[in-house]
């Protein structure tokens, strides 16, 4: 680390057990943050956008119609920040059982994205049932995230017992941009972080609390690998825990991915120069822009679903109608999947698929999965990956 860059640090330098310099961030909440007029305005705008998104979510008869694809979008975006190249379409194909050769699996790292979905679902269910977002849950989420993927041999689900650092790939600790606190300082910092979540400071606006929480988790960097993904996952869990956005419809990774340079920089300058206001403004702007984007995108999805309902309105009991919501969760499907989903025979499942093909909702891909023809709802796929 360049000590000169840490002109007014939010913490102090200490030596780890190997004699290397590491950074010990101050505990949270910060001693003092001045909320200027811009922050006050951004907080108001962010809360308004979240209120609009929450209201839209509450009008949807089947929330899974949106929650499932949005979680997948988050998983893809969050993993891309860490260098994973998988797309939404890759994830959909993986879920329906498409066989991938080892080279393709390695390149796309699809299982990393799928693990993110599993880790969030597990954590979200826990928060909903127990209203608790504690260190044990964070470790459990990390264990799921790192299962059988790169970094999976580095004590998944356990806080690190060795020093890590942030820098260019294959760089040494002496060339690191940032060196998190040594392992022997983690427990105190993490207990402070847990208390900050479970017993928030009086009068602190929750969205500002979320911004501070995200910085602190990244600054502490408690795991050997997977810290960024867990840190971003925590944002949505926090919003759910405090009933700010109960249904998980907002994820910030897409914004952070588009603005990755600023994202990394503004997190770092909190450590280097205690520039909390710059980070908080960036975080609130992310909420505003992503909430607007999500609202517009949800409206597109609902319009398309309504269009399909109109086409199939003549007989709401038919099997084809019952498949529509399933296609919004994953636009790829086979007769075997239809048979399982509708608990019907294979011939009945094929008739439902044929009906949707005739209506132009489905088309054959020319591929097979487990010897079954693979179909795709191309228009739905186009909307979901937009």
């Amino acid at each position: 680390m360049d000590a000169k860059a840490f002109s007014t640090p939010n913490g102090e330098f200490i030596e780890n057990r190997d004699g290397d310099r590491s950074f010990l961030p101050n505990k949270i909440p910060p001693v003092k943050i001045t909320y200027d007029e811009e922050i006050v305005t951004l907080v108001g705008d962010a809360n308004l956008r979240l209120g609009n998104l929450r209201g839209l979510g509450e009008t949807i008869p089947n929330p899974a119609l949106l929650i499932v694809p949005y979680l997948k979008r988050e998983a893809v975006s969050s993993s891309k920040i860490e260098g994973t190249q998988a797309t939404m379409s890759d994830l959909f194909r993986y879920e329906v059982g498409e066989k991938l050769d080892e080279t393709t699996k390695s390149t796309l790292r699809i299982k990393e994205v799928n693990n993110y979905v599993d880790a969030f679902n597990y954590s979200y269910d826990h928060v909903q049932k127990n209203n608790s977002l504690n260190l044990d849950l964070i470790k459990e989420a990390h264990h799921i995230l790192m299962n059988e993927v790169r970094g999976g041999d580095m004590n998944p689900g356990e806080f690190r017992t060795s020093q890590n650092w942030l820098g260019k790939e294959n760089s040494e600790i002496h060339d690191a941009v940032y060196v998190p606190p040594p392992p022997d300082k983690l427990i105190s910092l993490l207990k402070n972080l847990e208390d900050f979540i479970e017993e928030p400071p009086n009068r602190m606006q929750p969205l500002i609390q979320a911004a501070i929480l995200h910085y602190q988790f990244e600054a502490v960097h408690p795991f050997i690998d997977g810290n960024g993904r867990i840190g971003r996952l925590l944002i949505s869990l926090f919003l759910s825990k405090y009933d700010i956005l109960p249904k998980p419809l907002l994820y910030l990774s897409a914004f952070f991915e588009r603005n990755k340079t600023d994202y990394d920089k503004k997190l770092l300058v909190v450590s280097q120069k205690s520039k909390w206001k710059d980070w908080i403004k960036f975080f609130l702007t992310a909420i505003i822009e992503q909430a607007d984007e999500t609202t517009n995108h949800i409206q597109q999805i609902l319009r398309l679903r309504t269009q399909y309902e109109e086409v199939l309105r003549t007989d709401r009991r038919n099997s084809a109608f019952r498949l529509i919501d399933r296609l919004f969760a994953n636009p790829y499907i086979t007769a075997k999947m239809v048979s399982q989903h509708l608990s019907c025979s294979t011939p009945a499942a094929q008739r439902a698929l044929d009906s949707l093909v005739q209506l132009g909702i489905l088309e054959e891909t020319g591929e097979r999965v487990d010897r079954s023809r693979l179909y795709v709802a191309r228009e739905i796929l186009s909307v979901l990956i937009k």
Side-chain angles (χ1 to χ4, degrees):
M1 285 185 295
D2 180 6
K4 293 179 181 178
F6 289 73
S7 54
T8 51
N10 174 56
E12 61 179 324
F13 290 115
I14 60 173
E15 286 190 0
N16 63 21
R17 62 192 176 195
D18 296 320
D20 296 311
R21 178 192 291 140
S22 61
F23 187 75
L24 183 69
N26 292 331
K27 291 185 176 181
I28 50 178
V31 174
K32 184 178 181 181
I33 299 178
T34 303
Y35 301 139
D36 59 22
E37 185 176 345
E38 184 180 0
I39 286 182
V40 172
T41 300
L42 286 170
V43 167
D45 288 347
N47 278 312
L48 177 62
R49 296 323 202 280
L50 289 175
N52 292 339
L53 185 56
R54 174 176 179 151
L56 181 59
E58 290 174 348
T59 65
I60 301 166
N62 180 9
L65 175 72
L66 300 175
I67 292 172
V68 172
Y70 267 94
L71 175 54
K72 292 174 183 176
R73 284 165 66 93
E74 162 67 4
V76 168
S77 295
S78 190
S79 299
K80 275 186 178 179
I81 295 174
E82 310 302 326
T84 299
Q85 300 303 313
T87 66
M88 284 278 284
S89 185
D90 296 325
L91 180 58
F92 287 139
R93 286 172 171 269
Y94 176 80
E95 288 176 337
V96 298
E98 183 180 54
K99 302 299 182 183
L100 300 174
D101 59 56
E102 291 305 314
T103 300
T104 302
K105 286 182 182 178
S106 175
T107 302
L108 298 180
R109 295 170 179 163
I110 294 174
K111 185 165 174 52
E112 292 183 6
V113 181
N114 197 62
N115 282 4
Y116 188 99
V117 173
D118 291 342
F120 183 88
N121 281 329
Y122 175 85
S123 304
Y124 177 74
D125 288 344
H126 178 93
V127 170
Q128 290 293 295
K129 291 175 183 176
N130 303 288
N131 193 35
S132 177
L133 182 50
N134 55 26
L135 297 181
D136 286 340
L137 178 60
I138 290 171
K139 290 197 292 184
E140 288 167 3
H142 185 263
H143 187 271
I144 298 169
L145 180 75
M146 305 304 294
N147 182 43
E148 297 182 353
V149 297
R150 55 174 176 162
D153 57 344
M154 300 180 183
N155 297 321
E158 298 296 334
F159 297 129
R160 59 184 169 86
T161 56
S162 60
Q163 183 68 66
N164 56 358
W165 60 89
L166 282 70
K168 294 181 180 178
E169 190 172 356
N170 299 320
S171 64
E172 297 296 326
I173 191 170
H174 307 293
D175 301 317
V177 174
Y178 179 77
V179 182
D184 60 305
K185 300 295 183 182
L186 288 181
I187 298 304
S188 176
L189 288 166
L190 289 169
K191 184 62 173 67
N192 166 243
L193 184 140
E194 182 181 60
D195 291 343
F196 183 74
I197 297 172
E198 296 288 354
E199 300 176 12
N202 291 332
R203 298 185 179 180
M204 177 172 283
Q205 218 288 332
L207 297 184
I208 291 177
Q209 185 187 355
I212 293 170
L213 167 65
H214 185 66
Y215 159 78
Q216 189 73 356
F217 186 86
E218 299 306 320
V220 173
H221 236 62
F223 301 108
I224 291 295
D225 196 6
N227 293 283
R229 282 164 286 168
I230 292 294
R232 290 184 287 275
L233 181 150
L234 287 175
I235 297 170
S236 295
L237 295 178
F238 178 88
L239 295 178
S240 174
K241 170 179 169 57
Y242 284 102
D243 204 36
I244 300 166
L245 193 64
K247 294 184 177 68
L249 294 173
L250 181 77
Y251 304 98
L252 301 187
S253 289
F255 181 91
F256 293 155
E257 183 201 348
R258 291 195 302 269
N259 300 276
K260 186 177 185 307
T261 300
D262 279 349
Y263 172 60
D264 293 339
K265 180 180 178 181
K266 291 189 186 299
L267 282 172
L268 183 59
V269 296
V270 176
S271 297
Q272 292 176 332
K273 302 177 181 179
S274 299
K275 288 194 173 183
W276 280 105
K277 288 198 295 185
D278 288 356
W279 162 247
I280 290 170
K281 289 174 184 178
F282 180 81
F283 185 88
L284 293 171
T285 299
I287 290 177
I288 292 168
E289 291 195 14
Q290 214 52 42
D292 281 345
E293 179 182 304
T294 301
T295 298
N296 292 333
H297 194 240
I298 286 174
Q299 290 169 342
Q300 291 180 46
I301 292 173
L302 293 179
R303 281 196 296 269
L304 183 59
R305 184 176 184 272
T306 299
Q307 175 185 324
Y308 290 159
E309 283 184 333
E310 291 295 329
V311 171
L312 297 166
R313 190 176 294 278
T314 51
D315 184 0
R316 283 182 171 269
R317 293 170 297 175
N318 70 54
S319 298
F321 184 89
R322 293 163 59 197
L323 285 178
I324 292 301
D325 282 357
R326 160 62 179 77
L327 291 171
F328 277 97
N330 188 325
Y332 290 92
I333 200 164
T334 66
K336 182 178 180 180
M337 295 169 198
V338 174
S339 178
Q340 293 172 344
H341 183 71
L342 299 180
S343 299
C344 66
S345 66
T346 300
Q350 188 60 54
R351 286 194 295 273
L353 290 175
D354 292 341
S355 176
L356 291 174
V357 169
Q358 292 171 3
L359 292 168
I361 295 173
L362 280 181
E363 64 180 66
E364 280 195 61
T365 66
E367 304 166 68
R368 288 181 178 269
V369 172
D370 291 334
R371 294 180 292 183
S372 295
R373 285 178 288 177
L374 183 65
Y375 296 80
V376 61
R378 192 73 65 185
E379 194 171 18
I380 294 177
L381 178 64
S382 178
V383 169
L384 292 181
I385 68 177
K386 186 177 293 184

